[in-house]
């Protein structure tokens, strides 16, 4: 179930937000009576369009209720009489539950961290025999989230376990995978009542979170940070279009040592790997295919019969994007024998060099750090050139930027001198935010055929889709992906 937390300034506004919650797909709403000055619960609950939890969270539990305990209980009793379906009571305040006509949710909040003895606390909360227990703690790491996820079910009452803060997003979405009772949503960031709440719209429309269960095939992107990933927008749209019971989530991963546990805990069938873990995950896998091994980086992990197998689709996406540019510029997608200038010797530079060399291109590699350029060129049989001497490269057919220059904070910069740019040339920038970099803008002005980084992004994701699911992304979906990625 998806429960939206109602943060209102008046009782009228709260009643209106209950109607909005219902209309936007929530199953339950939680009215935070402590946030409403002089709440009129009979007015709020009179025509409630969906089941309602009422709570008056005291200041000592992170809420705003500053009145005394007697008036708080009176208010909650009034809520019960007024038709509240559930009353949320704080575990710390009760040795036994007061006599309230509604179902009781016993809750525990820690806005600082995940305490060590939480499993024991959860069992003690269940001894009060409530309808459900709610545990919400601030997660400060991936490990914290995994610990919380493992508490999502217990032998006693139903449970809602929430990992607050940016690390907790996967549990907020995948609560159903872990057998949890419900997740708490906000309408938008401004109306959030706890850090890291996912919006109701995203839970309903993007993730279809209420339909995620044991049978759902879940995929995710791991990285740090991973907030900026466009993956959920692309993948979940494709799953909806295909009518599959699948979901794709962001899993912030601080330490690759938590990778296997994260995959198991969230039952991930496939994982996209992004910065900074593409190299570090390798030693955590059971197998790495020959190409990823040669490139030295993994951006795709597939779980096959319980084994984790690493692959690389970055090189495929980049090569295919460059080939498409060649088809437009030269009438043939072949890069064999084409003179290429590759700028960048990081993870993406390596993958692109592998692709270009295996397709028969003649590549000159340059990089800010000369040793990296020289080592990389030697490893793959390309020619290194110092960045300062790049203007000496004669008439390159293809120019590739595989550095961070072009994205923030280097949006105003380009490593490609204008003198190298011209018509009859393909210019590809791996950078995809912003969509148009200075390099690509200047290349287009010089008459070159340009290939934006989002094309690589979409094509590497399509190759990943095939590895994850065994099926091709529908062709019309690729166009939509490109719009969403831009
Ligand atoms: P990386 O491994 O950290 O390598 C960074 C590269 O950028 C190195 O060559 C580095 O040179 C260079 N660099 C960074 N700052 C620079 C500066 N101020 N001046 C000159 N060179 C600079 O990163 P990566 O994973 O290869 O990513 C590189 C780019 O590719 C990023 O912009 C990323 O967003 C993009 N990318 C795109 C896709 C896609 O699907 N389109 C996929 C993956 C990555 P040094 O060796 O001298 O430090």
């Amino acid at each position: 179930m998806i429960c939206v937390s109602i943060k209102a300034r008046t009782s009228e506004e709260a009643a209106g937000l209950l109607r909005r919650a219902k209309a936007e797909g929530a199953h339950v709403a939680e009215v935070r009576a402590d946030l409403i000055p002089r709440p009129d619960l009979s007015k709020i609950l009179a025509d409630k369009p969906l089941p309602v939890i009422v709570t008056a969270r005291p200041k000592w539990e992170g809420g705003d209720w500053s009145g005394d305990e007697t008036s708080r209980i009176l208010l909650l009793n009034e809520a019960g009489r007024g038709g509240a379906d559930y009353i949320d009571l704080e575990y710390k305040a009760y040795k036994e539950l007061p006599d309230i006509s509604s179902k009781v949710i016993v809750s525990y909040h820690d806005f600082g961290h995940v305490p060590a003895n939480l499993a024991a606390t959860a069992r003690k909360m269940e001894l009060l025999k409530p309808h459900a227990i709610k545990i919400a703690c601030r997660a400060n790491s991936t490990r914290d989230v995994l610990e919380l996820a493992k508490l999502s079910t217990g032998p006693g009452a139903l449970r809602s376990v929430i990992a607050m803060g940016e690390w907790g997003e996967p549990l907020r979405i995948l609560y159903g995978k872990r057998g949890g009772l419900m997740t708490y949503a906000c309408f938008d960031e401004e109306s959030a009542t706890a850090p890291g709440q996912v919006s109701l719209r995203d839970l309903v429309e993007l993730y279809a979170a209420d339909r995620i269960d044991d049978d759902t095939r879940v995929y995710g992107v791991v990285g740090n940070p991973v907030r900026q990933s466009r993956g959920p927008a692309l993948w979940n749209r494709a799953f909806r279009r295909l009518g599959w019971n699948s979901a794709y989530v962001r899993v912030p991963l601080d330490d690759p040592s938590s990778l296997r546990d994260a995959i198991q805990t969230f039952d991930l069938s496939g994982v996209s790997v992004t910065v900074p873990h593409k190299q570090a995950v390798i030693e955590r896998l059971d197998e790495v295919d020959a190409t990823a091994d040669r490139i030295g980086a993994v951006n795709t992990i597939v779980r096959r019969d319980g084994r984790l197998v690493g692959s690389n689709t970055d090189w495929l996406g980049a090569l295919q994007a460059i080939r498409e540019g060649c088809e437009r510029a030269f009438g043939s997608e072949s890069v064999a024998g084409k003179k290429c200038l590759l700028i960048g010797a990081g993870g993406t530079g390596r993958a692109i060099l592998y692709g270009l060399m295996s397709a028969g291109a003649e590549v000159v590699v340059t990089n800010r750090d000369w040793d990296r350029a020289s080592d990389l060129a030697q490893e793959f049989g390309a020619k290194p050139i110092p960045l300062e001497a790049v203007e000496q490269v004669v008439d390159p057919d293809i120019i590739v930027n595989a550095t961070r220059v072009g994205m923030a904070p280097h949006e105003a910069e380009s490593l490609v001198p204008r003198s190298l740019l011209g018509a009859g040339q393909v210019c590809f920038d791996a950078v995809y935010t912003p969509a148009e970099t200075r390099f690509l803008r200047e290349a287009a002005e010089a008459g070159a055929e340009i290939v934006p980084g989002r094309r690589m992004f979409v094509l590497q994701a399509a190759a990943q889709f095939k590895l994850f699911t065994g099926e091709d992304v529908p062709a019309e979906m690729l166009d939509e992906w490109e719009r969403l990625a831009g």
Side-chain angles (χ1 to χ4, degrees):
M1 289 194 294
I2 301 175
C3 173
V4 68
S5 291
I6 303 291
K7 182 178 173 183
R9 286 169 300 264
T10 64
S11 300
E12 291 74 18
E13 189 187 359
L17 289 174
L18 290 181
R19 289 191 290 277
R20 179 177 167 195
K22 172 72 178 173
E24 293 185 10
H27 307 99
V28 189
E30 178 195 56
V31 172
R32 287 285 302 271
D34 54 301
L35 302 178
I36 307 170
R38 293 178 304 286
D40 180 344
L41 284 163
S42 52
K43 188 181 271 178
I44 296 171
L45 297 169
D47 296 312
K48 66 182 171 64
L50 77 178
V52 172
I53 305 168
V54 175
T55 188
R57 190 83 66 229
K59 279 196 188 291
W60 47 261
E61 187 82 346
D64 216 24
W65 180 267
S66 52
D68 62 27
E69 194 57 18
T70 311
S71 51
R72 199 167 77 92
I73 291 298
L74 277 175
L75 182 83
L76 293 174
N77 266 313
E78 183 195 327
R81 283 195 303 278
D85 300 82
Y86 308 92
I87 299 293
D88 177 316
L89 296 174
E90 298 72 21
Y91 167 65
K92 288 169 203 160
Y94 298 97
K95 294 270 182 294
E96 61 184 56
L97 294 184
D99 194 17
I100 283 183
S101 55
S102 316
K103 291 177 182 162
V104 171
I105 297 172
V106 171
S107 64
Y108 176 94
H109 299 82
D110 191 321
F111 289 86
H113 70 306
V114 179
N117 54 356
L118 204 52
T121 304
R123 282 194 297 276
K124 285 187 211 154
M125 291 165 76
E126 287 179 334
L127 290 178
L128 292 173
K129 302 249 180 297
H131 171 73
I133 65 170
K134 173 193 178 194
I135 294 175
C137 295
R138 158 78 77 162
N140 295 306
S141 64
T142 308
R143 182 127 312 282
D144 280 353
V145 179
L146 301 178
E147 291 306 318
L148 286 165
K150 285 168 192 147
L151 293 176
S152 296
T153 49
L158 296 162
R159 293 185 179 188
S160 302
V161 178
I162 296 112
M164 292 189 281
E166 60 175 313
W167 298 95
E169 186 176 285
L171 182 55
R172 285 188 181 274
I173 298 164
L174 299 175
Y175 68 100
K177 227 345 164 191
R178 295 295 314 176
L181 173 63
M182 68 178 130
T183 190
Y184 288 73
C186 55
F187 287 114
D188 49 42
E189 231 171 273
E190 204 190 316
S191 65
T193 52
Q197 267 175 356
V198 181
S199 74
L200 177 60
R201 173 175 294 197
D202 278 357
L203 286 171
V204 172
E205 291 177 16
L206 185 61
Y207 296 105
D210 54 313
R211 276 177 270 158
I212 294 176
D213 58 18
D214 259 359
D215 296 331
T216 308
R217 272 189 176 270
V218 178
Y219 306 91
V221 52
V222 300
N224 186 20
V226 82
R227 236 196 127 57
Q228 76 294 344
S229 170
R230 304 291 299 142
L234 271 58
W235 288 77
N236 290 313
R237 206 152 303 212
F239 294 149
R240 292 294 92 72
R241 176 76 56 86
L242 291 161
W244 292 359
N245 181 10
S246 298
Y248 185 100
V249 298
R250 297 181 283 229
V251 181
L253 184 78
D254 47 4
D255 187 336
S257 67
S258 297
L259 175 75
R260 292 189 82 98
D261 195 5
I263 290 175
Q264 200 170 9
T265 301
F266 292 123
D267 192 22
L268 303 178
S269 300
V271 174
S272 315
V273 184
T274 187
V275 180
H277 299 314
K278 288 185 186 181
Q279 282 91 30
V281 295
I282 290 180
E283 62 176 292
R284 310 283 167 185
L285 305 178
D286 299 303
E287 197 182 320
V288 171
D289 73 23
T291 305
D293 188 43
R294 178 87 176 92
I295 293 169
V298 158
N299 79 327
T300 309
I301 301 171
V302 180
R303 204 180 63 192
R304 235 177 255 143
D305 303 325
R307 287 170 60 76
L308 300 183
V309 182
S311 308
N312 189 304
T313 63
D314 278 337
W315 75 277
L316 267 174
L319 183 60
Q320 201 178 328
I322 293 169
R323 283 188 193 282
E324 290 175 355
C326 288
E327 176 74 49
R328 295 194 295 273
F330 313 130
S332 159
E333 63 162 38
S334 172
V335 299
K338 290 276 184 287
K339 283 191 283 176
C340 301
L341 168 63
L342 168 64
I343 308 175
T348 306
R350 284 183 70 85
I352 295 175
L353 182 58
Y354 169 84
L356 289 171
M357 295 299 288
S358 57
E362 285 173 25
V363 187
V364 175
V365 181
T366 189
N367 191 51
R368 177 179 60 178
D369 178 327
W370 162 250
D371 288 342
R372 273 183 110 181
S374 144
D375 291 350
L376 180 64
Q378 193 178 8
E379 195 181 328
F380 285 92
K383 187 178 163 219
I385 187 169
L387 190 55
E388 305 71 48
V390 80
E391 269 184 283
Q392 292 165 20
V393 176
V394 181
D395 296 337
D397 300 308
I398 300 169
I399 302 179
V400 176
N401 174 47
T403 73
R404 289 166 188 270
V405 175
M407 64 189 290
H410 306 290
E411 307 96 312
E413 299 166 37
S414 166
L415 293 173
V416 186
R418 273 176 180 266
S419 60
L420 277 186
L421 299 169
Q425 195 175 57
V426 171
C427 289
F428 166 57
D429 202 334
V431 171
Y432 63 100
T433 39
E436 193 194 54
T437 57
R438 176 172 161 190
F439 163 43
L440 290 187
R441 198 170 51 251
E442 291 178 353
E445 282 163 13
E449 182 65 45
I450 62 164
V451 182
R454 67 168 182 272
R455 191 64 190 155
M456 168 184 171
F457 179 71
V458 163
L459 292 171
Q460 66 76 27
Q464 209 165 58
F465 192 93
K466 178 92 180 172
L467 285 171
F468 284 173
T469 69
E471 303 213 14
D472 291 316
V473 185
E476 73 279 5
M477 199 67 229
L478 273 189
D479 296 335
E480 195 174 337
W481 272 14
E482 199 156 330
R483 279 196 301 279
L484 291 169

